[in-house]
Amino acid sequence: MSQPSAPPQILPPEAVRLIDGQYADRPHLRPILDAVLAALPPLGAVTVEARNTLVSLVTPRRTFAVVQATTKNRVDLGLRLEGPQVPAPGGRLLPAKNLGAATVRIALTEPAELDDEALGWLRLAYEQNTAPPPPRRKPAPRPKPEPTPLAVVIEAYGLPGRSFCAGPDAPHFWNVHLALRGTSKDRPGLTVPGHPWRAIEPVPGDATSARWEVEVTIRRGADGLDFGGPFVRGDRTDRHLALAWGDVSADGMFRLFRGAKLRLLDLDPGVVEQALRPGARLVVGIRFTDVHGRPIRPAEVTWAVGHA
């Protein structure tokens, strides 16, 4: 129930009933709540919301404090305080637990403890939660992409075979394929259950090699190069191309069980600049087994600048 703050004796009947219930078995603590309510008018507009277990104090913007008879010998004045003006909890400012929006609390065992220091923190909480929030900063405009995309060729060697089993208790896959992860619908691919991307141009796992060609968008910003396009995955800190191992079932679905990242952010920017020159391209080589057919873990990845 809500109403403008006022001395406790003129609180509406429902608020009085709720507060009486809070202090029924601890009447000696009720004067502490009364002292807090009496301190509100000088702050400004405050709404007092009486609930079953606590009293919330609300500015025109949001809750700034709560008063709760936490134990039979203590009332907690919870305050919503943030920012450099507020020291880390210690001394009279204690960590707040289960006090709604409060970040710190002041333990009060008698009205006299609501002294100038405590009232100063109450006033600061009111001011912080009355002021409008700072305007949101608009993100810097994203740089425009380079007019010519980066041509990338991915070449995979030493594919380990058509069947795979990770261990005696693991499932066995009999129709293993290697594919490029991507969201492009212009290239042939298979649906991957549970994933938004597709397995682009899958190649049987017993093929001699596999090859994909893609275009990657390049943007130049103050923090360096960024990469994009339907085959680039990951957020700004983890841009990469990706290959996926999966079992192609009879229904034509690609059941993913393993993947490999080709991290674009690991590239030397100078190599990217060379690969952007007319007639050049970036060639990514990934090898999964050695000359004896033994798995290489992690797979061996090389980057080089090639020419069309």
Side-chain angles (χ1 to χ4, degrees):
M1 182 174 180
S2 300
Q3 67 284 334
S5 65
Q9 63 270 21
I10 61 171
L11 287 173
E14 178 63 14
V16 172
R17 184 187 68 80
L18 291 170
I19 292 173
D20 286 346
Q22 296 173 21
Y23 293 88
D25 60 346
R26 56 202 80 183
H28 59 288
L29 296 179
R30 177 64 180 270
I32 299 175
L33 171 64
D34 294 343
V36 174
L37 297 179
L40 297 179
L43 298 180
V46 178
T47 297
V48 177
E49 296 181 352
R51 310 197 178 186
N52 287 330
T53 59
L54 55 78
V55 174
S56 294
L57 309 179
V58 186
T59 73
R61 179 182 166 206
R62 62 184 183 184
T63 298
F64 74 98
V66 296
V67 185
Q68 177 175 281
T70 307
T71 73
K72 291 188 177 182
N73 297 302
R74 187 186 83 233
V75 169
D76 281 327
L77 174 61
L79 303 172
R80 188 174 193 162
L81 288 169
E82 300 171 330
Q85 297 169 283
V86 184
R92 295 193 68 187
L93 286 182
L94 304 173
K97 295 181 181 179
N98 302 318
L99 281 176
T103 58
V104 294
R105 65 181 174 90
I106 298 175
L108 304 172
T109 59
E110 59 179 354
E113 292 180 348
L114 190 68
D115 54 14
D116 289 345
E117 180 186 2
L119 291 173
W121 291 121
L122 180 66
R123 186 180 306 107
L124 179 60
Y126 179 84
E127 292 171 353
Q128 283 192 353
N129 294 282
T130 301
R136 296 181 62 182
R137 291 186 179 180
K138 292 183 178 180
R142 195 177 184 197
K144 293 183 179 180
E146 291 291 300
T148 303
L150 173 67
V152 180
V153 176
I154 303 170
E155 297 176 338
Y157 303 98
L159 278 61
R162 197 69 169 264
S163 65
F164 173 79
C165 184
D169 298 324
H172 206 125
F173 303 103
W174 298 101
N175 194 21
V176 174
H177 284 63
L178 179 64
L180 175 68
R181 294 189 184 196
T183 56
S184 172
K185 296 183 178 179
D186 299 329
R187 307 270 286 267
L190 300 177
T191 298
V192 185
H195 296 274
W197 50 271
R198 301 169 67 238
I200 304 297
E201 298 173 1
V203 176
D206 56 359
T208 304
S209 61
R211 187 176 189 275
W212 299 269
E213 294 188 21
V214 300
E215 290 186 343
V216 173
T217 300
I218 300 293
R219 298 176 190 268
R220 303 176 191 273
D223 53 352
L225 298 176
D226 192 14
F227 306 88
F231 301 99
V232 175
R233 297 173 53 80
D235 61 24
R236 182 66 179 84
T237 64
D238 186 35
R239 301 285 197 227
H240 62 274
L241 301 170
L243 300 179
W245 289 102
D247 189 57
V248 179
S249 55
D251 58 5
M253 296 288 186
F254 186 93
R255 313 271 175 193
L256 174 73
F257 62 81
R258 184 166 291 181
K261 280 186 180 183
L262 305 172
R263 282 179 50 85
L264 294 164
L265 288 183
D266 290 342
L267 279 169
D268 184 331
V271 171
V272 177
E273 297 295 348
Q274 293 179 43
L276 283 170
R277 293 174 181 171
R281 59 181 61 192
L282 182 65
V283 180
V284 189
I286 181 168
R287 180 172 289 278
F288 295 99
T289 62
D290 62 19
V291 294
H292 303 290
R294 293 173 297 204
I296 300 173
R297 294 176 181 166
E300 183 180 279
V301 179
T302 60
W303 303 83
V305 177
H307 297 276

